[in-house]
Amino acid sequence: MNNTIDPRTKLFLVLCISTIGLISRDVLILFSITIVGIIISKIFGGNFFVLIKRIKKLLYVFFFIIIIQSIFTRQGNPVIVIGGFEIVTDLGLNRALGYMFRVLIIIISGVIISTSSERNTIQGIVQLGLPYEFAFMTAVGIKFLPLLIEEFKDTYMAIQLRGINIMKLPIWERFKITSYIFIPVVASTLNKAKKLSISVESRAFRAYDRRTSITSLKLKYKDYLIILISLTTAFALIYLKWI
Amino acid sequence: MKDFIVIKGLDFYLDSKAILKNINLTIDSRQFISIRGANGCGKTTLSKLIMGIYPYSKGSIKIEDREVSEMSLSEIGRKIGYLFQNPEKQIFTSTVLEELSFIYKYREDIDKSRKEKEIDEILDTFDIRNLKNKSTFFLSQGEKQRVALASVLLNKPKYLILDEPTTGLDYKRKEMLSEILDKYKNKIGVLLISHDYNFVKKHSQKIISLEGGCIVYE
């Protein structure tokens, strides 16, 4: 099914999913969208769980933010009270879960888009009427994502090879040391961006105002059906919940 | 001399393709050994297997009589210092001084009172005193390599693995690296992975050639 669905349909689907994810405050709706998103990504040939496994280390940072968010939200009814202190409230828990599902929805959106080939994604964005430069940069971003994940893993490993047992550090130090991963990754990303820009310029990128393309995408019956279903569901949810 | 690393009957497959076949190797703790071979012959893979970065299923790799597969990365890192082919990956902080201080901050087994003295010494040994407060973002390839190697050596490893340390270095920088290796020659053993035959010949007590994943010359 993966190769037969137009990348524009996938982009539209992602737009609907992420819009609901962004405006919804209801944890149940966010949870449902996450589950539906995982199923859709699987149908399209993506593997959400493989990606989650690969970015496992990065997820610790998200969980840390979730914990902090639930602890520092003071409004609402107490859920966990220790020694008279309200540690977690229902509102805090709600916000933290909402944050977690939103992060998962972003990851799922990436998985859905990445099930199309880089060339087709660019073509899809161009045929949507967006400038080629924008389409090209989006595709490059998607392409570099696995490399970025690899860099995160390598740096995490390099820290341990300095003789530091991260798991034995106190929890605060553990999160602090994780922040060091970003420096080599940012440095390498900047380097890659610099090299890429030199490389595309040397191949006469944007030499002419208009570009021609050998491939042309055409929306099929099932594409229209998917767009219709996602649009109807998104509108129905917005109407029932907020209007 | 003591057998520091002992590899027996090691096979390594990646996506069902044999990368290393029946590797048997014994490395003494003070020995300077070099591994040569064409691109893709398995040199870096072998070093990563020794460092516990890649898991192996057939054969055995022992560091000081302990199986690598049973050791954590941090345990291996305390025994063997590893310089990556791309030193950028092992520079974590924003300034050179912070980079050199990194292990004193997070290693509980290191004498923190010796921090100033040891950093001071390493700055001179590696001729990087002028870089002390420089941002790691703006270091050249050679400078990054020296900073990474200096940081690794502050760990006081018993052995050192250098993966293609001469890549991207001009003659002057290679000479500088040579001088540094000479300073450590009798203090620490080194496993050097390099294409640079002259560099390998100059330093090594033993040269190993890898071809098609097998040791063809020792």
Side-chain angles (χ1 to χ4, degrees):
Chain A
M1 186 151 185
N2 165 34
N3 293 328
T4 55
I5 301 293
D6 194 289
R8 285 170 292 176
T9 310
K10 291 176 188 174
L11 286 168
F12 193 81
L13 192 67
V14 163
L15 182 75
C16 290
I17 289 176
S18 48
T19 306
I20 300 292
L22 193 74
I23 59 175
S24 177
R25 296 274 178 274
D26 192 327
V27 174
L28 205 65
I29 290 177
L30 290 170
F31 172 72
S32 310
I33 290 170
T34 308
I35 298 297
V36 170
I38 292 170
I39 295 167
I40 292 170
S41 69
K42 187 77 194 157
I43 293 168
F44 286 171
N47 204 331
F48 169 75
F49 296 104
V50 169
L51 184 70
I52 286 291
K53 217 172 149 187
R54 287 173 81 177
I55 60 166
K56 204 167 64 185
K57 301 278 179 342
L58 193 66
L59 291 179
Y60 289 131
V61 181
F62 292 133
F63 282 124
F64 177 66
I65 298 168
I66 290 164
I67 292 164
I68 292 292
Q69 195 157 23
S70 62
I71 289 173
F72 285 94
T73 305
R74 301 266 41 96
Q75 301 98 324
N77 304 312
V79 177
I80 300 171
V81 181
I82 299 171
F85 287 101
E86 292 175 11
I87 304 295
V88 176
T89 66
D90 56 353
L91 197 70
L93 202 63
N94 203 51
R95 282 186 188 168
L97 286 171
Y99 175 80
M100 184 183 80
F101 288 127
R102 280 190 198 99
V103 170
L104 290 176
I105 289 166
I106 293 167
I107 296 169
I108 291 163
S109 302
V111 173
I112 292 173
I113 294 171
S114 66
T115 55
S116 286
S117 72
E118 186 194 336
R119 184 69 199 88
N120 277 349
T121 309
I122 294 179
Q123 189 62 26
I125 298 171
V126 170
Q127 282 186 231
L128 277 173
L130 290 163
Y132 180 80
E133 289 80 0
F134 176 80
F136 178 72
M137 282 305 147
T138 310
V140 165
I142 295 166
K143 194 182 171 185
F144 275 107
L145 197 66
L147 289 176
L148 217 64
I149 293 164
E150 213 55 46
E151 302 248 357
F152 271 112
K153 278 166 74 179
D154 283 349
T155 312
Y156 189 74
M157 216 153 53
I159 292 176
Q160 292 178 81
L161 286 177
R162 288 272 180 94
I164 299 162
N165 192 338
I166 298 175
M167 288 305 157
K168 278 190 181 165
L169 288 173
I171 189 99
W172 175 245
E173 292 283 303
R174 216 183 293 177
F175 284 115
K176 218 168 121 190
I177 209 164
T178 314
S179 69
Y180 285 107
I181 295 174
F182 292 95
I183 289 175
V185 173
V186 168
S188 132
T189 308
L190 289 173
N191 260 339
K192 277 196 183 80
K194 195 174 138 192
K195 281 177 191 164
L196 185 73
S197 72
I198 294 168
S199 161
V200 291
E201 290 293 330
S202 65
R203 289 190 198 181
F205 186 72
R206 286 165 54 174
Y208 299 102
D209 289 341
R210 288 192 62 184
R211 292 180 64 94
T212 52
S213 177
I214 199 163
T215 51
S216 180
L217 298 169
K218 267 191 173 178
L219 287 168
K220 296 181 199 82
Y221 169 71
K222 53 187 166 190
D223 289 304
Y224 287 114
L225 191 70
I226 293 170
I227 290 171
L228 188 73
I229 293 170
S230 28
L231 199 65
T232 315
T233 316
F235 271 119
L237 274 172
I238 292 167
Y239 182 79
L240 291 172
K241 203 74 196 165
W242 292 283
I243 299 171
Chain B
M1 293 275 200
K2 191 176 170 258
D3 290 346
F4 187 70
I5 302 168
V6 179
I7 304 173
K8 277 183 189 165
L10 179 74
D11 285 354
F12 183 71
Y13 290 83
L14 204 64
D15 297 329
S16 55
K17 187 191 165 206
I19 308 292
L20 293 171
K21 284 175 268 179
N22 194 30
I23 302 290
N24 292 291
L25 190 64
T26 303
I27 300 171
D28 291 335
S29 55
R30 293 284 166 88
Q31 211 170 18
F32 198 121
I33 296 185
S34 292
I35 301 181
R36 292 179 65 227
N39 283 343
C41 72
K43 303 186 298 289
T44 299
T45 305
L46 181 59
S47 69
K48 288 190 173 175
L49 283 162
I50 295 171
M51 292 308 293
I53 295 171
Y54 292 157
Y56 54 94
S57 49
K58 201 181 166 210
S60 152
I61 306 174
K62 283 185 178 170
I63 299 171
E64 288 187 320
D65 297 325
R66 281 192 65 198
E67 196 66 45
V68 165
S69 56
E70 288 160 11
M71 293 165 83
S72 67
L73 284 175
S74 58
E75 276 179 280
I76 300 166
R78 286 175 195 206
K79 291 180 188 291
I80 305 175
Y82 187 67
L83 184 73
F84 281 70
Q85 202 166 350
N86 178 7
E88 215 164 72
K89 283 181 182 174
Q90 55 193 130
I91 294 176
F92 322 114
T93 61
S94 46
T95 70
V96 172
L97 186 62
E98 271 182 64
E99 188 60 33
L100 299 173
S101 315
F102 190 75
I103 52 154
Y104 296 96
K105 214 168 168 184
Y106 293 101
R107 284 267 302 267
E108 72 288 350
D109 60 321
I110 276 187
D111 184 3
K112 291 177 175 64
S113 63
R114 292 182 56 81
K115 178 184 158 184
E116 306 288 329
K117 192 178 174 282
E118 286 173 350
I119 290 179
D120 224 46
E121 278 171 11
I122 212 100
L123 284 170
D124 288 332
T125 310
F126 281 76
D127 193 21
I128 49 174
R129 189 170 286 282
N130 57 328
L131 306 176
K132 195 177 163 186
N133 297 311
K134 199 173 172 181
S135 164
T136 51
F137 279 104
F138 303 110
L139 297 176
S140 70
Q141 176 72 9
E143 288 170 343
K144 273 180 194 161
Q145 199 197 48
R146 273 184 289 155
V147 170
L149 188 55
S151 311
V152 165
L153 283 166
L154 278 171
N155 249 354
K156 295 181 202 71
K158 293 177 182 170
Y159 205 81
L160 200 58
I161 297 181
L162 309 175
D163 191 1
E164 302 280 5
T166 54
T167 308
L169 298 188
D170 58 22
Y171 177 75
K172 200 182 153 195
R173 300 289 169 213
K174 264 187 217 172
E175 281 300 302
M176 211 175 250
L177 182 65
S178 264
E179 280 170 25
I180 291 167
L181 291 180
D182 284 339
K183 282 179 196 168
Y184 283 91
K185 205 157 209 169
N186 296 316
K187 296 177 193 162
I188 189 171
V190 178
L191 176 67
L192 173 72
I193 293 161
S194 181
H195 282 111
D196 194 330
Y197 185 65
N198 290 333
F199 193 82
V200 162
K201 212 176 143 191
K202 188 178 172 186
H203 294 283
S204 314
Q205 293 163 305
K206 188 174 167 184
I207 300 172
I208 293 162
S209 283
L210 271 181
E211 207 177 289
C214 300
I215 293 176
V216 288
Y217 170 78
E218 200 176 327

